[in-house]
Amino acid sequence: MSLFSYDSIGSLGKYENEEDVRGITVKNCTFLKTDNGIRIKTWPGSTPSQATGMIFQDLVMDNVRNPIIIDQGYCPSGCKKQPSRVKISNVHYINIRGTSSSEVAVDFMCSSQFPCDNIHLYNVNLKHTGNGPATATCLNARLGYGGLLSPRVTCH
């Protein structure tokens, strides 16, 4: 079993003519008190590209602030707020369990121009370490579910 201090598929679309990201697998890991667990982050106004074919399986989140997050609204100071043009698809979250230090344990904020597609959650069980239950937010994503799902994710 591996122990990560930080893991992210990030800064996609930051530079022109980036190659697509395909076929990422992360298995049998524990994330201990990290800011992010499974994070996919893209930049606004990027040139069109893809991030597809990712599997995140048999992972434990131990007091992680953002256990599962897709952030296509990332915009540091000085950037122009535009939709990301990185198409995220075929992402599978399988057997993810543990605790979130923030209330929002699952956060899918996908691009309005290129919504996330074929995002699957199977046996995801995340609890909030503070008061109240863990929650999920979702925008512009097409999701599929199976097995246990906590927190429940509905998308707009």
Side-chain angles (χ1 to χ4, degrees):
M1 183 174 296
S2 300
L3 184 66
F4 282 92
S5 61
Y6 180 80
D7 186 39
S8 185
I9 297 173
S11 293
L12 302 177
K14 184 174 183 179
Y15 303 104
E16 276 193 44
N17 303 315
E18 288 181 353
E19 293 196 26
D20 294 343
V21 174
R22 297 177 185 273
I24 302 291
T25 300
V26 178
K27 290 175 105 174
N28 301 318
C29 299
T30 296
F31 296 80
L32 178 61
K33 297 181 182 176
T34 58
D35 280 341
N36 299 302
I38 307 161
R39 178 184 186 195
I40 302 170
K41 176 185 84 176
T42 69
W43 282 72
S46 55
T47 56
S49 64
Q50 292 185 47
T52 187
M54 295 179 238
I55 299 171
F56 302 98
Q57 184 173 357
D58 300 324
L59 305 178
V60 175
M61 303 293 159
D62 186 347
N63 204 28
V64 174
R65 188 166 55 111
N66 300 302
I68 297 175
I69 182 169
I70 295 177
D71 183 0
Q72 290 200 274
Y74 180 76
C75 189
S77 63
C79 81
K80 293 181 181 177
K81 196 71 170 164
Q82 301 172 340
S84 172
R85 293 170 43 188
V86 177
K87 176 68 175 174
I88 296 174
S89 64
N90 301 316
V91 180
H92 303 271
Y93 302 93
I94 305 164
N95 300 328
I96 312 296
R97 63 182 173 84
T99 57
S100 173
S101 61
S102 65
E103 187 177 315
V104 179
V106 179
D107 186 4
F108 295 133
M109 184 172 35
C110 297
S111 171
S112 59
Q113 188 172 7
F114 292 94
C116 297
D117 193 30
N118 200 24
I119 309 298
H120 286 272
L121 299 123
Y122 183 80
N123 285 339
V124 172
N125 188 10
L126 297 167
K127 306 289 183 201
H128 182 219
T129 57
N131 295 329
T135 63
T137 61
C138 184
L139 182 65
N140 301 316
R142 295 177 188 102
L143 306 176
Y145 314 95
L148 173 70
L149 183 60
S150 179
R152 291 301 254 173
V153 184
T154 56
C155 204
H156 306 283

